[in-house]
Amino acid sequence: MRSTGPLEVTVDNLRPQIDSICYGAITATRAVLPAMLAAGTGSLLYTTGASSVTPAPVFVTAGMAGAALRKWALTLNGTLAGTGVYAGHVAIGTWIAGTPGAPDGTPLAQPDDIARLYWDLHTRRQPADHTSPPEPRCRRAQAG
């Protein structure tokens, strides 16, 4: 899927983003949530790009779909209060080390740091919204 600029957004190029980002998360949640509620425990962690929180002119359709997912995840977390089930949202606003295509000089988040973030969200169950990965070991992308 290709993300577009704000003047190029159409129903046809937004729909695949909504289908993938929102409907996929909703479908997966509906498959596991009943068992989590019955058990009285569980974590639902949703991930989007940072454009779901901070507008970016090159990721408009992905940001629109991600913003919808973020809104739903935060609302879901509030609704689940007191059930033992936590819903959290993470907006990753940097390239992840090892992912092809990072422009030279771009800060890179380390996969272990991101995994630690998810573990912390699962165990602490807060905050419901996290908008950037931890960056203690960020490195810059290099050519080659």
Side-chain angles (χ1 to χ4, degrees):
M1 283 180 271
R2 183 177 150 282
S3 193
T4 58
L7 297 177
E8 291 82 37
V9 173
T10 66
V11 170
D12 289 337
N13 62 27
L14 177 60
R15 183 176 288 120
Q17 297 283 0
I18 297 287
D19 287 348
S20 173
I21 294 170
C22 291
Y23 297 160
I26 292 167
T27 300
T29 299
R30 293 191 57 82
V32 300
L33 185 57
M36 290 180 173
L37 290 169
T41 189
S43 293
L44 301 160
L45 298 172
Y46 304 95
T47 304
T48 64
S51 63
S52 67
V53 178
T54 304
V58 294
F59 299 112
V60 176
T61 55
M64 291 169 69
L69 174 58
R70 176 178 176 255
K71 167 69 173 165
W72 179 70
L74 298 177
T75 304
L76 179 61
N77 186 62
T79 300
L80 293 171
T83 67
V85 179
Y86 160 76
H89 170 260
V90 177
I92 296 180
T94 187
W95 287 86
I96 300 169
T99 303
D104 288 348
T106 300
L108 301 174
Q110 299 304 306
D112 287 347
D113 292 336
I114 296 170
R116 196 171 304 106
L117 166 66
Y118 282 91
W119 180 251
D120 289 346
L121 290 172
H122 165 70
T123 57
R124 293 183 188 152
R125 301 177 158 307
Q126 63 179 325
D129 194 25
H130 188 88
T131 57
S132 64
E135 299 191 27
R137 296 187 316 187
C138 267
R139 298 183 199 133
R140 300 244 174 223
Q142 296 177 6

